[in-house]
Amino acid sequence: MTQQPIVLPYGDPAFVADPFPFYRMLCQGQPGEDGPVRRAVIAGGLEVWLVSPFEECLAALSDPRLSSDVRLATDPRLMRQLPVAERESVLGNMLRADPPDHTRLRRLVSRAFTARRVAELRPHVQEIADRLLDAVVPTGRADLIEDFALPLPVTVISELLGVPTDDRRAFQRWVDHLLPWGAEPQDPAVVERAWRQMRAYLTGLLATKRVRPGEDLLSALIEARDEQRRLTEDELLSMAFLLLAAGYITTVNLIGGGIAALLAHPDQLRMLRDDPALLPDAIEELLRYDGPVNPGVARFASEDVSIAGVDIPRGATVLVGSALADRDPERFPDPDRLDITRGDSAHLAFGHGIHYCLGASLARMEGEVAIGTVLRRLPELALSVAPGELRWRPTGLRGPERLPVTFTPGASLAAVPS
């Protein structure tokens, strides 16, 4: 009997707020439907092959037959979601590329995200976090998304790439239009307009940096293209967009979602507040427990392929369910429990294989600084709404839309960095 695809209920507020009970039911399976690879319908009516167990997801993310190039997909709706006139520019980055192009593109930007470079950035990220909290500490209330989790990574990645301060709000608005926030695909006209505006802006910014280069990453990429001829114009534009967007919203969701998870588990929040040395382990557990990419990442079969004994045709979309894998009881004991002392949290929130997130070390550092600073500077932190009133972004890039909190007001002077 042909298995009927299971529909992920993005229209159900309960699912959007907490998709994990549904995932758990899905992974447990129904009679005749208990395999590790399932047909599923996700946002926009797109049918995919959903891979959920940890080991199968790990293997899929390393399988060269599963490509990152959406142009291999047979479902035309995927390409329709991209701006028509700018598709080559949108697709010309390492996130969408396979070797050898991926290898070449990744090598060009990897030096900006070394452990040494990230460590050098940490004191400045701490300054930014303290400056943002200085504005709210005296008031005793804040929206930790709008006031903190949004502006912090926007400032960090913009400074890293060399985006002027006055341009960052416009950039944030364009990215909001380009990324898949809702249960349905963005209006193509809105996506098209946002990309054209973003392209025009980036073209102008890159032209300025050719004349007056700085110490930023965009200037380095320009030099790599103009002198070594290793980046095309479309690749340069697409790489700039990818780095800006990827360094922004996933980190917003790590910070916002991480704080929300701790507020929902006061024993864990208290433990972390009492022992800040647990922060690195806490970040890994928060990423595993409810990471910013949900339900996972898409790959496209470049040929007929078999995964866990299931035959998948060429051109099919394979959704590697990293969020489901990170709750796999075969991999993580008691996976639905948040435990910042778990220790073994080798999760898939940053992916695996050649496409492992290039900015993972930067995101981890920003998460440690941001969450650690909030816990240190905002005593008696609590939600100012009922937990059920929090609204979550329903697809793809998961995190709370707002995070209204109260705390004991204090002095506005920044705390001494720990």
Side-chain angles (χ1 to χ4, degrees):
M1 180 182 296
T2 302
Q3 182 191 103
Q4 291 298 309
I6 190 161
V7 179
L8 273 63
Y10 290 108
D12 181 354
F15 173 80
V16 173
D18 182 6
F20 293 101
F22 183 88
Y23 293 162
R24 187 161 53 251
M25 177 274 295
L26 186 152
C27 292
Q28 289 170 349
Q30 304 298 324
E33 298 182 347
D34 55 356
V37 180
R38 303 280 299 276
R39 289 168 61 209
V41 177
I42 60 171
L46 179 68
E47 187 168 317
V48 302
W49 294 88
L50 176 64
V51 184
S52 55
F54 188 92
E55 291 301 326
E56 280 75 8
C57 285
L58 199 68
L61 289 170
S62 301
D63 193 328
R65 299 169 298 175
L66 297 179
S67 169
S68 294
D69 190 345
V70 68
R71 288 168 290 197
L72 296 176
T74 53
D75 192 319
R77 286 172 292 187
L78 285 161
M79 289 298 289
R80 286 196 210 112
Q81 294 179 28
L82 300 176
V84 175
E86 310 291 349
R87 281 178 182 162
E88 289 307 309
S89 295
V90 174
L91 294 171
N93 63 61
M94 60 190 175
L95 187 65
R96 301 287 191 180
D98 298 320
D101 283 341
H102 172 269
T103 308
R104 172 176 60 92
L105 295 169
R106 188 176 176 106
R107 186 181 299 123
L108 285 171
V109 297
S110 60
R111 61 176 175 262
F113 298 97
T114 62
R116 177 179 177 180
R117 175 63 173 143
V118 169
E120 290 172 348
L121 287 171
R122 190 180 189 109
H124 185 51
V125 174
Q126 183 66 64
E127 291 174 7
I128 296 168
D130 277 319
R131 186 168 67 245
L132 290 169
L133 289 186
D134 280 347
V136 300
V137 162
T139 70
R141 61 178 56 248
D143 174 0
L144 286 181
I145 301 299
E146 185 68 26
D147 298 330
F148 186 68
L150 271 170
L152 189 148
V154 168
T155 302
V156 172
I157 198 64
S158 297
E159 290 185 359
L160 186 63
L161 271 73
V163 176
T165 303
D166 292 344
D167 298 338
R168 292 170 192 169
R169 188 168 293 277
F171 149 71
Q172 181 180 323
R173 184 175 66 251
W174 294 325
V175 173
D176 286 347
H177 288 311
L178 288 166
L179 294 178
W181 296 122
E184 297 299 326
Q186 289 275 24
D187 181 342
V190 173
V191 173
E192 193 87 27
R193 184 169 58 253
W195 176 251
R196 287 183 183 275
Q197 291 170 335
M198 176 74 90
R199 180 188 174 99
Y201 170 75
L202 289 174
T203 299
L205 180 62
L206 291 168
T208 299
K209 290 185 179 296
R210 283 193 179 95
V211 177
R212 295 188 298 276
E215 298 299 319
D216 54 82
L217 182 54
L218 288 185
S219 295
L221 290 175
I222 291 167
E223 181 181 357
R225 176 188 183 273
D226 288 347
E227 294 187 6
Q228 301 173 41
R229 301 292 178 186
R230 294 170 68 189
L231 283 177
T232 68
E233 186 70 16
D234 278 339
E235 286 174 338
L236 185 56
L237 284 165
S238 187
M239 187 70 77
F241 167 70
L242 171 65
L243 292 169
L244 284 165
Y248 157 45
I249 197 59
T250 51
T251 308
V252 174
N253 289 345
L254 166 59
I255 296 169
I259 295 172
L262 289 170
L263 288 171
H265 297 82
D267 61 322
Q268 301 296 296
L269 186 149
R270 187 166 48 252
M271 186 187 307
L272 185 55
R273 201 191 285 275
D274 291 343
D275 185 2
L278 289 172
L279 260 172
D281 285 344
I283 295 299
E284 300 307 315
E285 174 67 353
L286 291 167
L287 285 162
R288 181 205 69 82
Y289 181 78
D290 194 358
V293 177
N294 189 307
V297 295
R299 295 289 185 263
F300 311 98
S302 61
E303 58 184 81
D304 293 346
V305 61
S306 178
I307 300 178
V310 177
D311 294 330
I312 297 173
R314 177 181 179 181
T317 300
V318 177
L319 181 60
V320 183
S322 52
L324 287 74
D326 284 341
R327 296 283 190 105
D328 182 352
E330 295 296 318
R331 173 62 185 84
F332 300 103
D334 199 4
D336 295 322
R337 180 171 62 92
L338 181 68
D339 178 7
I340 64 172
T341 65
R342 183 179 296 272
D344 180 13
S345 292
H347 52 75
L348 297 180
F350 289 126
H352 179 71
I354 64 170
H355 285 282
Y356 183 81
C357 177
L358 185 64
S361 58
L362 178 61
R364 286 184 167 108
M365 182 269 284
E366 289 184 73
E368 287 182 26
V369 170
I371 293 175
T373 306
V374 163
L375 297 188
R376 187 173 67 249
R377 296 198 59 195
L378 306 184
E380 303 299 322
L381 184 68
L383 284 176
S384 61
V385 297
E389 293 181 38
L390 287 181
R391 291 177 56 86
W392 292 76
R393 305 189 191 282
T395 72
L397 299 172
R398 174 173 164 79
E401 293 180 358
R402 297 178 60 248
L403 193 59
V405 296
T406 58
F407 46 87
T408 303
S412 62
L413 263 178
V416 177
S418 60

